[in-house]
Amino acid sequence: MRTMRRHDLVWLDPAFPLADFGVTEDHRAELGDWIARGLPLVVGRQLGQPGGVRLGFTLSGTGARRRVEVRAPREAIVAHCAPFLLEALVDHAPEGWQTSLNALALALRQAGMPSRAYGSLVTQAFTGEPCLRKDSDIDLLIDCGNHDEVLAALAILQAHGDGAPRLDGELRMSNGWAVAWRELANALACGGQLLAKSDDDVRLISAEDFFGVPSPPGAVHGNPGHHAAAAVLPA
């Protein structure tokens, strides 16, 4: 099985006892229904703790997001893949958004950086149930190989990002570190630090550091409040 990364999708074995998934009793029936429907869960940031792979899923609906946290034994995972490409999911977005999303996906692909989707668009696509509101963001994950690709991705996102729908999400370097693209654009323009996440760690870095992330493993610098926040981040 390929290495699991944040935002990847996994499917769980419906024959596995629900009690083995580290989910609260309040959410056990919802998890059972989710697995029985063949719906994927999302890989979260691993915290280096025993108890299985940290996963989650967000229940359908257009109201407040209701996320269920899961700890799954690796042997319960029957399938695993990277997040779906944006162009594969555009038809599941509201009709009025599809032209702009197709244009965005094409621009990023032509720049050599195919975009992948996560968040409510993915949930809506798999469940077939409404999850996106008129004011919902589209969350994207874009892998960049170097400084020039990051700047190119930012330029494309800034050109498309504030229409309908509004674009959110992350840029991820080949070393595995990712930052919110809007925070990175702001830090490049104005200075300051931003929160970077890997598959199992979180750090505060400068915009320049994002291209190499030289801080020692496990470091969280700056406002001490970010350390507490990092411990409860869902992904």
Side-chain angles (χ1 to χ4, degrees):
M1 182 179 291
R2 64 184 288 273
T3 300
M4 283 182 281
R5 310 185 72 180
R6 288 176 56 245
H7 304 306
D8 281 2
L9 302 178
V10 300
W11 285 258
L12 298 178
D13 184 350
F16 237 79
L18 293 176
D20 290 353
F21 289 123
V23 68
T24 65
E25 283 195 36
D26 291 344
H27 293 303
R28 196 166 288 177
E30 292 165 329
L31 173 61
D33 177 66
W34 195 266
I35 297 172
R37 292 169 63 189
L39 299 174
L41 289 83
V42 181
V43 177
R45 181 168 52 86
Q46 306 306 306
L47 302 178
Q49 300 171 347
V53 180
R54 188 167 177 251
L55 308 173
F57 65 96
T58 302
L59 296 166
S60 303
T62 56
R65 288 182 49 169
R66 296 167 53 217
R67 182 178 171 85
V68 178
E69 294 278 343
V70 178
R71 286 279 188 174
R74 286 187 176 269
E75 57 269 28
I77 296 173
V78 295
H80 167 223
C81 70
F84 276 41
L85 293 169
L86 174 60
E87 51 260 51
L89 302 176
V90 168
D91 287 348
H92 298 278
E95 186 174 355
W97 295 2
Q98 292 179 14
T99 298
S100 61
L101 289 176
N102 276 319
L104 169 68
L106 178 61
L108 286 165
R109 180 170 287 282
Q110 289 177 334
M113 293 169 291
S115 52
R116 298 183 181 275
Y118 63 97
S120 297
L121 175 60
V122 176
T123 305
Q124 182 162 300
F126 275 99
T127 65
E129 299 166 1
C131 299
L132 293 164
R133 305 184 303 266
K134 290 182 179 180
D135 61 346
S136 291
D137 296 337
I138 294 294
D139 296 308
L140 300 174
L141 176 66
I142 301 169
D143 284 303
C144 302
N146 53 51
H147 180 277
D148 289 344
E149 288 189 355
V150 170
L151 296 184
L154 284 177
I156 294 169
L157 289 166
Q158 288 172 318
H160 292 80
D162 291 319
R166 182 181 183 273
L167 303 178
D168 210 346
E170 300 178 342
L171 303 182
R172 183 170 63 186
M173 293 292 279
S174 55
N175 58 16
W177 287 93
V179 297
W181 75 264
R182 289 182 179 275
E183 290 185 19
L184 178 60
N186 183 68
L188 284 169
C190 305
Q193 292 186 305
L194 64 160
L195 197 66
K197 303 176 187 178
S198 72
D199 296 326
D200 56 9
D201 202 357
V202 60
R203 305 176 188 175
L204 274 177
I205 62 171
S206 69
E208 292 76 15
D209 285 344
F210 175 57
F211 303 106
V213 193
S215 303
V220 178
H221 307 298
N223 184 343
H226 282 282
H227 193 285
V232 298
L233 286 170

